[in-house]
Amino acid sequence: MADPYIILNELAQELRPMPQGIEWFEGLSAEEQSHALRLLSHFCIQARATAEDGPESIRRAGLRATHTPAVLISQGQLDQQLGKIASLAPHDERLKSFRLLIAVLAVADGRRRERFCSDGCGHAWHRLAVPPPPPPPPPAAGGAPGPPRPPGRWRCAAPLRLSRQQVRPRRP
């Protein structure tokens, strides 16, 4: 399994797209999902999330105010509510919890970065780099892009020469 500490922080810092994060989360076993949610809850507490972060987090997560994780985070006593959100059992609630906790971490950590880390800090998670793009595919045979050509076809016997009339654009 990829390092959840890095993946979760990349998602919160928008260095990794959320659809990719959801795909990663759904690929985890139920036990690994619970572990990831507990980690997120812990990260939110470390980032000093407050009850005021709730409405913005709900909006960023794309949840309705009536979804269970959204209701829980709106009830105050954030430390307790984060634990309850992380321990929701049904699969669809886990996915909503994942999206909400990523959003809470993004809001709280963003505020913390502005206030305390704007001039630099020693937090390793604030020095994550954007994952490099995948390498380009190797060039096709013969150095030309595109599919390989059948032998003996598509080759000119002589170089193409154009007259001046063919090179100059015609005037209307």
Side-chain angles (χ1 to χ4, degrees):
M1 176 173 87
D3 188 356
Y5 289 82
I6 293 174
I7 291 173
L8 297 174
N9 276 289
E10 286 175 346
L11 288 166
Q13 295 175 37
E14 296 180 350
L15 297 175
R16 185 182 293 261
M18 184 53 84
Q20 188 179 10
I22 290 171
E23 183 181 328
W24 169 80
F25 184 75
E26 287 182 326
L28 300 175
S29 68
E31 184 178 315
E32 291 170 328
Q33 285 181 353
S34 294
H35 176 69
L37 292 173
R38 284 191 307 272
L39 272 177
L40 271 171
S41 173
H42 180 69
F43 291 167
C44 291
I45 292 168
Q46 281 185 322
R48 299 180 185 157
T50 64
E52 291 78 31
D53 297 336
E56 174 63 16
S57 301
I58 293 167
R59 186 193 66 75
R60 284 191 188 189
L63 299 180
R64 290 190 308 237
T66 57
H67 287 146
T68 305
V71 170
L72 287 171
I73 204 162
S74 300
Q75 292 181 346
Q77 299 177 348
L78 197 64
D79 293 355
Q80 293 175 0
Q81 301 308 329
L82 289 172
K84 290 178 184 178
I85 292 168
S87 64
L88 290 172
H91 180 266
D92 61 329
E93 296 298 333
R94 282 184 187 198
L95 190 53
K96 292 174 194 169
S97 298
F98 177 74
R99 290 174 29 211
L100 181 62
L101 290 176
I102 290 288
V104 171
L105 179 58
V107 170
D109 192 51
R111 182 181 56 251
R112 183 175 180 172
R113 290 178 94 163
E114 285 178 16
R115 288 185 185 170
F116 304 112
C117 301
S118 60
D119 294 329
C121 64
H123 301 124
W125 59 90
H126 286 165
R127 292 189 308 273
L128 296 175
V130 176
R149 296 178 181 166
R153 290 186 67 196
W154 308 105
R155 295 186 186 186
C156 296
L160 180 64
R161 298 189 190 269
L162 300 174
S163 69
R164 286 187 175 187
Q165 291 174 342
Q166 291 172 318
V167 173
R168 273 191 215 148
R170 291 185 180 177
R171 294 184 182 166

